[in-house]
Amino acid sequence: METSYTWHSGARCVDPRWPLTPTLLPDELLSSWLVRTALAHGCRPDTLTRVVWPGTRAWTCDLDRPHPWANLAALASMAGLSAEMLLATTLWPIVLMLHPNAAVHNSSWWPWILPLGCRSRTRAGGLLCCPHCMAGPIPHYRQQYRLAWHTACPWHHVLLIDRCTSCHSAIQPGRLGVDGKLSECHHCGQSLDRAPPVPVVDTALAFQNFVDARRQSTIFYGQVALSFSEWMCVARVMVSYLETVARQPSAGSRLFCERIGVDLARLKSSSLGLPFEYAAPAERAGLLGQAWVIMQAGPERFVELATETKLPVTAFPLPVTGVPEILMQMVSVLSQHTRHKLARPVFGRTREPLEVWHMWHRLQRRTRRNGIS
């Protein structure tokens, strides 16, 4: 099996107040370690967090994100770990690497970070895990699986899961009972390692391995040297373009994809029309695999084909801040279409049952997202 990188090295607890505090494993999420600590002491996760942060309902939000009330120094004093190490188990250091201005432009949603869709104790999406890893001696949830470019386990080369394959509930270890196990579904008790393995998308795994290996180095996009955050910004714009193509492919987009080597058959359009970060692992794998093809072609080839196929500038939505110069140059060659008058809405059209079903579930998902923290 291949050796994967880690975002933090883990740590042993030194003189913890809680006698059965487990060792923090490499790359383990803060929420995963908190659940393991609670279960080791025979209590529910919310009981443990109320001791650390009295008067809070910690599990109604995403504990792996920073929160003003989550005083890590208080947790560190009880667990025998440093506050710096606990901070390293959260998503915040990775967010700053991906988005250097995140501390200034604080947001509830960041590109490349998988949201959980928290509303009270319910989740629109679950924590991701590898079924084979869950059969290991110490099941736990990894930091890297909260990153949107991760769709496969680097050790077992199987697709990650975010739902129980038995009851289809989002994986929420924070809702486990006293007798629960981290490798089990909180809802039905099914062991997560019983999920049937799904093969990886090779090009998506190539994207994943490339990004992991270069997260702390300069990346060349064609002949242009980019920082990690700049390269990821360009890649995210390409993913957004492919999302649009998957939903509504135009003649120009089809021609562009054909010439650059994108296989449209591998793109899976989200049935709910949600952003890339909310998509299931299989959907993200299809998009990442084809985004890798575009990124490998380089900016020169992109400009050449985009000019020939007359792609519109509206097909590549840019972020509000932090747009790399190379991306601005690439988009500047795209066609500027004239504005059209909006057609009057047609009322009274009978919709197909499947279309109504999609609209209803899209509304439900967006309602749940209203409380994302």
Side-chain angles (χ1 to χ4, degrees), residues 251-328:
S253 294
R254 287 181 180 276
L255 184 58
F256 172 82
C257 291
E258 178 184 345
R259 292 187 178 180
I260 206 168
V262 169
D263 186 356
L264 293 179
R266 293 184 176 272
L267 297 180
K268 296 184 178 181
S269 176
S270 173
S271 59
L272 300 176
L274 296 172
F276 167 72
E277 285 75 15
Y278 290 89
E283 294 174 353
R284 286 190 287 111
L287 291 166
L288 289 170
Q290 301 312 304
W292 176 245
V293 173
I294 297 179
M295 295 299 290
Q296 286 289 91
E300 296 83 4
R301 182 63 173 164
F302 174 90
V303 169
E304 176 188 348
L305 294 179
T307 304
E308 290 179 3
T309 56
K310 298 181 180 180
L311 289 183
V313 67
T314 54
F316 295 87
L318 300 181
V320 178
T321 60
V323 181
E325 180 63 28
I326 183 62
L327 189 55
M328 296 294 293

Side-chain angles (χ1 to χ4, degrees), residues 16-23 36-37 40-42:
R17 293 188 190 179
W18 298 325
L20 302 178
T21 303
T23 298
R36 289 201 302 121
T37 302
H41 290 85

Side-chain angles (χ1 to χ4, degrees), residues 102-121:
V104 178
H105 303 95
N106 195 12
S107 172
S108 61
W109 172 80
W110 291 298
W112 294 116
I113 302 296
L114 296 180
L116 296 181
C118 304
R119 186 172 181 84
S120 187
R121 297 197 67 187

Side-chain angles (χ1 to χ4, degrees), residues 164-351:
C164 172
T165 54
S166 176
C167 67
H168 305 290
S169 296
I171 298 175
Q172 302 179 57
R175 298 183 67 179
L176 286 169
V178 175
D179 299 324
K181 297 180 181 179
L182 210 64
S183 60
E184 295 177 346
C185 171
H186 75 282
H187 185 261
C188 69
Q190 170 84 6
S191 181
L192 299 175
D193 62 8
R194 297 180 63 181
V198 179
V200 301
V201 178
D202 291 336
T203 47
L205 184 60
F207 185 107
Q208 175 179 311
N209 292 336
F210 178 86
V211 173
D212 290 347
R214 289 163 177 80
R215 68 191 190 280
Q216 293 180 333
S217 60
T218 300
I219 305 177
F220 279 90
Y221 180 44
Q223 302 298 319
V224 182
L226 300 178
S227 66
F228 176 74
S229 61
E230 289 174 333
W231 193 92
M232 293 300 287
C233 180
V234 176
R236 184 61 181 82
V237 170
M238 299 307 166
V239 169
S240 294
Y241 167 69
L242 291 174
E243 285 185 291
T244 303
V245 173
R247 288 193 299 266
Q248 296 176 330
S250 63
S253 294
R254 287 181 180 276
L255 184 58
F256 172 82
C257 291
E258 178 184 345
R259 292 187 178 180
I260 206 168
V262 169
D263 186 356
L264 293 179
R266 293 184 176 272
L267 297 180
K268 296 184 178 181
S269 176
S270 173
S271 59
L272 300 176
L274 296 172
F276 167 72
E277 285 75 15
Y278 290 89
E283 294 174 353
R284 286 190 287 111
L287 291 166
L288 289 170
Q290 301 312 304
W292 176 245
V293 173
I294 297 179
M295 295 299 290
Q296 286 289 91
E300 296 83 4
R301 182 63 173 164
F302 174 90
V303 169
E304 176 188 348
L305 294 179
T307 304
E308 290 179 3
T309 56
K310 298 181 180 180
L311 289 183
V313 67
T314 54
F316 295 87
L318 300 181
V320 178
T321 60
V323 181
E325 180 63 28
I326 183 62
L327 189 55
M328 296 294 293
Q329 295 174 8
M330 293 164 59
V331 173
S332 66
V333 304
L334 302 180
S335 301
Q336 299 282 349
H337 289 180
T338 57
R339 287 182 174 271
H340 298 282
K341 286 187 176 180
L342 295 177
R344 291 185 178 181
V346 179
F347 298 101
R349 180 175 69 87
T350 303
R351 298 183 183 273

